[in-house]
Amino acid sequence: MNKKTIIAAALASFMSFAAHAQVANNPQWLDNAIFYQIYPSSYMDSDGNGIGDLPGIVSKLDYIKSLGITAIWLNPVFESGWFDGGYDVIDFYKIDPRFGTNTDMVKLIDEAHRRGIKVCLDLVAGHTSDKSPWFRDCSTGDRNSRYADYYIWTDSISPKEQQKIVVRHQAANPASSTYGRYVEANAPRGKYYEKNFFECQPALNYGFANPDPAHPWEQPVDAPGPQAVRRELKNIIAFWFDKGIDGFRVDMASSLIKNDKGKKAVSKLWNEMRAWKDKHYPHCVFISEWSNPEQAIPAGFNVDFMMQFGLKGYGSLFFSRDTPWGKRGYKPENEKEYRFCYFDRDGKGSPKEFAENYERAYNATKSLGYIALPTANHDFQRPNIGTRNTPEQLKVAMTFFLTMPGVPFIYYGDEIGMKYQMDLPNKEGSNNRAGTRTPMQWTKGETAGFSSCTPAQLYLPVDTENGRITVEAQLKDPASLLHYTRRLTALRHQQAALRGNGEWTLLNKDGQNYPLVYQCSNQGETIVVAINPARFKTKAVIPHTGTLHKLLETGKTAVKQANTGDELRLDGFSAVVYKVE
Ligand code: NOJ
């Protein structure tokens, strides 16, 4: 071997080590994971009380498997006060009786694992219910209580914060308003406690990154109280990991430590958690509700979301300005805000805001973890809303979700195109999130096969459009969104270029908005995807790098050799996936 060959061989072996190391940072199973998010109250009711439960989910695992799903995430299932859809936890070590028992959870884990499906739960790390025994005990002011410093109490708050309490109490339903930081409790332990979201959700005391000397109640993160809370958190995680859980989605993961500018202290906390997890439970994952992958992933999370808040761009794709989540925060005079969302039938949007932010965050994090682009979740509207309401349009959106890098999350029911139901009444603190939490629609009929209860007893109403938006109807129709989704998940599992964290490149020329064209490359393979959510025909020319072999399409598409490259032609509401050969 000459010197040159030796160097080349050394380089190749280093490169393969580097490629391996990239995967080795995270459990291997994450690399081709497709998640399915289940809101447990709404998935399947096995006992006829109108509310979903764990045995109900178990009975649908074969269906979930048939979708190509490899992991599920369940919204909170621990004993709750049910003032915020389970995010007000009373007992982290106990399944809420409405869903079953801890034994039912172990059964669910076993049954899911038998089918090769991982199970992740929701960890509300930052707060409890005000009905939690920890909080009750703490409120008494007993200085011998082990929970004495589990929460943040003060006898004095600023006039500004006092005013916020007044304003909140003027709201139609003060208890389900999130305004302000403190709640007036007049408890022996203190006059006010700090809340995280609703009044009933007192913040757990992880301490303050920079305690203000003028605020003696602000404890440093290494004080005994905050350290005890940390140990409790670890204990909860270990308790469920020991039962076989494969990971946690962590609620409001960035907000545990207060006054933490730049999120340095909370990043340190999660880095320590990650090191501990990797040592004892290396196959398990942490998924953050942080929505800033560039912070969350270096902080130790395996997966972070790009969605309705935080990193900008998701809204500009999916939230039309006349739909509930699109109405927020838009000022026509602000040029930077999008006016029309990209996945709108009128085709007046731009992929710019999304693509720039995504690309930056993706390239900064892809060697460490994964970005998830969920189809929806329990906190924001589904893709089927407003004028985006036909299977053709929804197939185009699904093509996007299932061909982007990272870890896709399908929100239950989006695979059949369930609608966001407008104007539903508040249900267990949902406010306008009720429309996205309605029961899964299995069959035609008054309760859509979700429950044997009466329609009036249903957790929330169903709307199947005469049985069309049901699993039953779509299983029978080879052209349905459900079958198309299955083809997409199968494709994702087959194609290395659609998995893990390869290269993602936007192929749109500057100013060319439709179609959206991007390339995914991984392990020497390349896929080109073109997406046209608009009702009119579009075309784009991309550089010729090889023969484009069509793997899947929806609607009508074609490719033509042009002098300048390959011309992709897409009918209205169409999308296509090519392999470059
Ligand atoms: C985020 C959760 O996703 C949401 O549903 C909940 O209301 C808040 N955190 C408070 O826990």
Side-chain angles (χ1 to χ4, degrees), residues 185-465:
N186 294 314
R189 176 68 175 77
K191 188 154 189 234
Y192 307 96
Y193 63 83
E194 180 151 357
K195 70 176 184 65
N196 258 358
F197 199 64
F198 294 144
E199 291 193 342
C200 68
Q201 290 162 310
L204 281 162
N205 180 19
Y206 290 88
F208 289 69
N210 303 291
D212 180 344
H215 297 165
W217 68 90
E218 296 185 359
Q219 301 176 354
V221 291
D222 56 0
Q227 286 299 312
V229 171
R230 255 183 217 217
R231 275 195 301 277
E232 188 81 57
L233 180 68
K234 237 183 214 177
N235 207 37
I236 296 165
I237 296 172
F239 180 83
W240 289 106
F241 280 177
D242 288 344
K243 291 197 184 298
I245 289 297
D246 303 286
F248 275 107
R249 173 266 191 190
V250 181
D251 188 65
M252 297 174 71
S254 67
S255 67
L256 304 191
I257 294 174
K258 309 301 177 195
N259 291 8
D260 183 20
K261 242 183 146 203
K263 303 288 171 197
K264 285 211 184 75
V266 79
S267 298
K268 188 162 173 266
L269 180 154
W270 283 115
N271 261 302
E272 286 166 18
M273 284 288 179
R274 171 71 180 267
W276 166 80
K277 174 195 79 64
D278 283 357
K279 183 161 173 221
H280 300 285
Y281 305 95
H283 58 288
C284 293
V285 296
F286 285 149
I287 303 161
S288 48
E289 189 207 25
W290 192 310
S291 251
N292 184 351
E294 283 161 277
Q295 272 185 343
I297 293 175
F301 282 93
N302 302 89
V303 183
D304 189 34
F305 292 102
M306 179 172 190
M307 51 180 186
Q308 87 280 20
F309 71 94
L311 180 61
K312 274 205 165 15
Y314 189 100
S316 72
L317 293 184
F318 292 105
F319 301 162
S320 170
R321 287 296 178 191
D322 53 7
T323 61
W325 271 259
K327 285 195 180 116
R328 295 180 174 181
Y330 170 59
K331 296 183 203 77
E333 66 275 15
N334 187 347
E335 288 278 297
K336 279 197 182 134
E337 297 275 350
Y338 71 94
R339 284 187 69 197
F340 301 100
C341 78
Y342 189 76
F343 280 78
D344 194 87
R345 51 178 294 140
D346 287 337
K348 291 182 183 162
S350 155
K352 200 167 182 272
E353 183 186 65
F354 166 77
E356 282 177 4
N357 286 309
Y358 178 80
E359 193 172 27
R360 193 197 60 248
Y362 181 65
N363 288 331
T365 57
K366 67 179 179 175
S367 62
L368 282 177
Y370 300 83
I371 298 181
L373 281 162
T375 61
N377 77 22
H378 62 291
D379 285 335
F380 67 92
Q381 64 203 28
R382 293 177 178 276
N384 183 348
I385 189 166
T387 58
R388 185 173 51 242
N389 54 24
T390 66
E392 289 65 39
Q393 291 170 288
L394 298 169
K395 283 181 195 171
V396 175
M398 199 55 100
T399 312
F400 169 76
F401 287 121
L402 289 171
T403 56
M404 286 295 286
V407 180
F409 277 65
I410 300 176
Y411 185 53
Y412 81 96
D414 283 343
E415 74 276 19
I416 55 167
M418 272 170 57
K419 300 195 258 204
Y420 170 81
Q421 291 189 45
M422 299 292 281
D423 303 322
L424 293 185
N426 182 19
K427 180 77 178 182
E428 299 182 331
S430 65
N431 296 331
N432 65 351
R433 300 173 294 182
T436 213
R437 299 178 178 182
T438 59
M440 180 66 183
Q441 298 174 170
W442 298 101
T443 63
K444 59 179 179 299
E446 287 182 316
T447 62
F450 161 72
S451 173
S452 58
C453 69
T454 65
Q457 287 174 307
L458 279 175
Y459 182 71
L460 280 164
V462 291
D463 183 357
T464 65
E465 290 192 346

Side-chain angles (χ1 to χ4, degrees), residues 29 35 69-73 112-113 116-120 246-247 283:
W29 63 266
F35 267 80
I69 298 300
T70 62
I72 55 180
W73 154 34
H113 285 176
I117 299 172
K118 308 278 180 192
V119 181
C120 295
D246 303 286
H283 58 288

Side-chain angles (χ1 to χ4, degrees), residues 80-94:
S80 169
W82 294 105
F83 197 86
D84 182 17
Y87 287 91
D88 46 332
V89 176
I90 292 178
D91 185 346
F92 289 93
Y93 298 95
K94 184 180 163 199

